[in-house]
Amino acid sequence: MIILASKSPRRQELLKLITTDFVIKTADVDETLPQGISPADAVLYLSAIKARPFAAKGDIVIGADTVVALGNEILGKPKSREDAVRMLSALSGREHSVFTGVTLISGEKEQSFYVESRVKFFDLTEKEIADYAATGECDDKAGAYGIQGKGSLLVEKIDGDYFNIVGLPIARLYRELNKLY
């Protein structure tokens, strides 16, 4: 059995591009990051702690986590609309990275990888930022935007895997899963 250790509806939809034969399980884990951790190490750490509670013989567990990083500053999910506006203002006109870490556990084996994609925002006006924040789409998204929704209107260009930005690098995941079978 394949277990996706994620509540994200976006990850669930993306995994369906690979297989429909999976179940969702989630656990409350402490997502507090160690001080000074890099964005790449952060997603590896978080994906692993989300997957480990479900490791069982005969199952394949997939844990994943995505962060947006402006330099080494990790922009998580906004705590408020004001926080979303702050993040979007910081991203305006700039390039940033989106990291998704994936941990696969199969029996005694555990492997993790991450994918980094680069995103550049247009120079945004205060009104554009306020209007987007008011949609509420940013509320549960790392970096305060969803590229698969109205947030796509903020993006000037991307370099890398689009699906990684949405939350699951499915092409790489597909290849890693094939190595397990």
Side-chain angles (χ1 to χ4, degrees):
M1 172 176 12
I2 295 177
I3 299 167
L4 176 61
S6 176
K7 294 177 198 167
S8 167
R10 294 164 296 283
R11 286 196 187 100
Q12 294 168 29
E13 284 302 311
L14 290 174
L15 186 56
K16 287 178 185 173
L17 297 173
I18 297 173
T19 182
T20 57
D21 188 20
F22 66 92
V23 296
I24 307 299
K25 293 187 179 180
T26 59
D28 287 327
V29 295
D30 180 2
E31 295 187 35
T32 305
L33 292 170
Q35 199 70 25
I37 193 169
S38 72
D41 288 339
V43 294
L44 294 174
Y45 172 79
L46 292 168
S47 68
I49 65 170
K50 290 178 177 182
R52 287 181 185 141
F54 305 106
K57 189 173 183 172
D59 293 338
I60 296 173
V61 183
I62 303 168
D65 198 81
T66 302
V67 301
V68 171
L70 191 56
N72 272 331
E73 181 188 359
I74 295 173
L75 304 178
K77 295 176 183 177
K79 294 170 180 52
S80 64
R81 287 285 158 82
E82 294 76 23
D83 195 30
V85 168
R86 177 192 64 79
M87 288 184 199
L88 294 166
S89 298
L91 296 172
S92 176
R94 298 177 72 185
E95 189 174 82
H96 61 277
S97 291
V98 179
F99 293 87
T100 298
V102 177
T103 296
L104 298 172
I105 302 175
S106 178
E108 299 295 315
K109 289 190 215 168
E110 179 178 316
Q111 68 182 70
S112 297
F113 66 88
Y114 74 88
V115 174
E116 177 183 3
S117 301
R118 303 284 297 165
V119 179
K120 183 172 188 302
F121 272 18
F122 286 104
D123 286 317
L124 305 173
T125 65
E126 286 183 24
K127 181 178 180 349
E128 287 174 307
I129 292 169
D131 288 350
Y132 179 66
T135 68
E137 183 178 273
C138 57
D139 292 352
D140 68 339
K141 311 276 191 314
Y145 75 96
I147 196 166
Q148 72 281 4
K150 292 180 184 296
S152 62
L153 303 176
L154 312 176
V155 176
E156 182 175 347
K157 69 177 184 171
I158 67 169
D159 181 17
D161 182 344
Y162 167 81
F163 295 107
N164 179 61
I165 302 164
V166 178
L168 194 63
I170 55 170
R172 173 78 186 273
L173 176 59
Y174 176 75
R175 280 152 183 75
E176 298 297 333
L177 285 170
N178 280 336
K179 292 177 188 175
L180 294 175
Y181 286 113

